[in-house]
Amino acid sequence: MALKQVSSNRCFEGFQKVFEHDSAELKCKMKFGIYLPPKAETAKCPVLYWLSGLTCTEQNFITKAGFQQAAAEHGLIVVAPDTSPRGCNIEGEDESWDFGTGAGFYVDATEEPWKTNYRMYSYIKDELPKLINANFPTDPERMSIFGHSMGGHGALILALKNPGKYKSVSAFAPICNPIQCQWGKKALGGYLGSDVSKWEAYDATQLVKSYAGSPLDILIDQGKDDQFLSAGQLLPDNFIAACTEQKVPVVFRLQQGYDHSYFFIATFINDHIKHHAKYLNA
């Protein structure tokens, strides 16, 4: 599958690049950001996948999070895909910010008119890693995943649904229990239909209740002054309760004074890179 380089910038002795490709899974052109640390010039490196939140593209994380220095130091390739298919000409895809374009929710849609293109779960799980491993100096056995908000939800469900695939998982302000919040009900209802039992397959709180895979060490940072926390969109307490019940280790840090923004992410990003490096470089 041909990759077209869109941009390349020297950064901490490595390169921050953006590529475009034709996605078989999503049936449209997709972009992703990839940071290649200096180590990638001479050795195969582990890959850390970042999933962004609602309304984001591949740009938000690579320009705002300030992760590149830590990734360079730890020798990690970091891949940041887009959050949905683009330009599919589906009626209604651009009507709202929390559904359709920029809001793929990391599910494989089963409902018309979304099911042909909106297959972000399979794109992140299968197509993108194959593409990355075929074109860059990666160690395919060593990959981890993290994300923010809708992307935190994506990271948690991908790790929980695929035991052993990812060495570690972390999240910033994830949507932990989408079947119980307005964002989740709108997205899962739209993409998966009205049968709530189908939604549960993409809900981290539900998935952890039956998790029996290899041990996962989950790190979550949540801003205490996050407007979406107080609005009941994120529901971390439900997830933590389920983890505790299942004896799944989770470190949950409620960060006083921080909101839902990339200023919050930038503050704690190095801790997350270090968390993943511990497992990826083990």
Side-chain angles (χ1 to χ4, degrees), residues 26 30 51-56 82-86 93 96-110 114 117-124 150-151 153-154 157 175 183-184 187-188 190-192 202:
L26 307 177
M30 290 294 282
L51 304 182
S52 288
L54 290 163
T55 74
C56 289
D82 203 345
T83 54
S84 76
R86 300 268 166 187
E93 69 183 353
S96 52
W97 63 276
D98 55 358
F99 187 76
T101 302
F105 253 83
Y106 305 104
V107 304
D108 284 349
T110 53
W114 311 100
N117 306 93
Y118 277 69
R119 297 182 51 79
M120 285 300 291
Y121 176 77
S122 289
Y123 175 72
I124 301 296
M150 173 183 77
H153 141 80
I157 63 165
I175 301 171
W183 279 341
L188 299 176
Y191 295 134
L192 305 173
Y202 294 105

Side-chain angles (χ1 to χ4, degrees), residues 26-38:
L26 307 177
K27 300 180 178 51
C28 67
K29 281 196 186 327
M30 290 294 282
K31 287 185 183 139
F32 62 84
I34 184 167
Y35 179 70
L36 298 163

